[in-house]
Amino acid sequence: QKEVEQNSGPLSVPEGAIASLNCTYSDRGSQSFFWYRQYSGKSPELIMFIYSNGDKEDGRFTAQLNKASQYVSLLIRDSQPSDSATYLCAVTPSGTYKYIFGTGTRLKVLA
Amino acid sequence: EAGVAQSPRYKIIEKRQSVAFWCNPISGHATLYWYQQILGQGPKLLIQFQNNGVVDDSQLPKDRFSAERLKGVDSTLKIQPAKLEDSAVYLCASSLDGRGPSYNEQFFGPGTRLTVL
C-alpha cells in the first residue's frame, strides 16, 4: 500500500462546476496535510494546508480532513480553465516533519 | 521577498558523467530539502537539512548522490556517475523551520530538469 494515494486522473469538469480531489494516507498518526498545485513544467505551489479535522476554506478552495477515515480532500468551487493543473497531496507522517507526496491528480477544466 | 533560487535550469549529460545542482533558499529559512520528481510522479524527498546538519537522507542513493549545505545557507546536490534513470526534475525547497507544523510550509524553487543520455 502506498503511503499517500491519489487518483491520477485526468479529472474533467466543466467551467463553473465544483472539482473534488481526494487523497488517502496510510499513517494514522499523520499530523499535517498540504495541497499543492503544479502547472505543467513548473514547480509546486502551496494552495493550502490543514491540521485539524473538519473543513478549512480559503477563497474558492476548501480542504476537508477526516483523520478517522484517513482521507483529505480539496474542493474547488467555480472551477476556471486556469485551474487546470496537477494537484499534489502531501502528508507529514507521525514523528517527522518531512512531506510524503502522492502522485498527483491531473485536473482539466473545460471551457 | 525573493524565492528559492536554483541553477542551472536545464542540464543534458551522458551517462556516467557527473553533474551538480545549486540551491539558494529563502532568506532566514533553516530547513532545506532536495526532491527528485520523475515525470508523472510526485516529488520524492532525497535529503533534508536543518541548518547545515542532515535530518533525513534515507532515500538518497548514497553510492552516487551526495549533498552538502555549507554555512547553513546554499546547498549543492551532486550525482556521480549519472545513470539513465536519474533523468528527472530536481527540486529544492525551503521552510522556515522544519521542526514544527506551524513552520513547516515548504516553498519550492523552479527546479533543474536533468536529461541523461
Side-chain angles (χ1 to χ4, degrees), chain B residues 8-73:
Chain B
R9 294 294 310 278
Y10 305 91
K11 190 74 177 178
I12 300 174
I13 61 172
E14 302 275 338
K15 61 183 179 182
R16 291 187 290 273
Q17 286 186 324
S18 62
V19 64
F21 313 125
W22 174 83
C23 173
N24 182 247
I26 293 172
S27 178
H29 279 197
T31 311
L32 185 148
Y33 313 80
W34 282 103
Y35 290 89
Q36 179 193 60
Q37 187 174 24
I38 293 172
L39 188 64
Q41 299 182 17
K44 182 182 83 170
L45 179 68
L46 293 176
I47 189 167
Q48 176 182 346
F49 292 96
Q50 182 74 20
N51 296 308
N52 61 350
V54 175
V55 174
D56 189 318
D57 63 357
S58 57
Q59 296 196 88
L60 186 73
K62 297 180 186 64
D63 58 334
R64 298 185 300 108
F65 286 65
S66 64
E68 60 181 7
R69 189 183 185 196
L70 299 176
K71 301 180 182 179
V73 181

Side-chain angles (χ1 to χ4, degrees), chain A residues 27-46:
Chain A
D27 183 347
R28 183 170 290 278
S30 297
Q31 299 284 338
S32 312
F33 307 86
F34 301 81
W35 283 101
Y36 280 80
R37 177 175 61 199
Q38 187 172 30
Y39 291 112
S40 180
K42 302 295 185 182
S43 59
E45 54 181 340
L46 182 67

Side-chain angles (χ1 to χ4, degrees), chain A residues 36 38 43 51 97-99, chain B residues 37 56 98-99 101 104 106 109:
Chain A
Y36 280 80
Q38 187 172 30
S43 59
Y51 303 133
Y97 294 110
K98 67 180 182 182
Y99 286 12
Chain B
Q37 187 174 24
D56 189 318
R99 293 174 295 181
N104 200 27
Q106 296 185 22

Side-chain angles (χ1 to χ4, degrees), chain B residues 75-86:
Chain B
S75 177
T76 56
L77 176 69
K78 296 179 181 178
I79 307 175
Q80 182 179 12
K83 293 185 175 181
L84 297 177
E85 59 261 36
D86 297 333

Side-chain angles (χ1 to χ4, degrees), chain A residues 14-91:
Chain A
E15 184 176 358
I18 296 175
S20 178
L21 305 160
N22 299 311
C23 171
T24 59
Y25 58 94
S26 59
D27 183 347
R28 183 170 290 278
S30 297
Q31 299 284 338
S32 312
F33 307 86
F34 301 81
W35 283 101
Y36 280 80
R37 177 175 61 199
Q38 187 172 30
Y39 291 112
S40 180
K42 302 295 185 182
S43 59
E45 54 181 340
L46 182 67
I47 298 174
M48 62 192 306
F49 56 87
I50 186 167
Y51 303 133
S52 305
N53 270 332
D55 295 359
K56 180 181 179 182
E57 187 174 318
D58 184 359
R60 296 187 297 114
F61 299 96
T62 299
Q64 300 175 318
L65 175 61
N66 184 324
K67 288 188 176 182
S69 300
Q70 294 176 239
Y71 82 79
V72 56
S73 61
L74 180 70
L75 301 179
I76 307 175
R77 290 182 299 281
D78 188 23
S79 295
Q80 301 297 310
S82 59
D83 294 326
S84 298
T86 295
Y87 289 80
L88 296 163
C89 171
V91 174

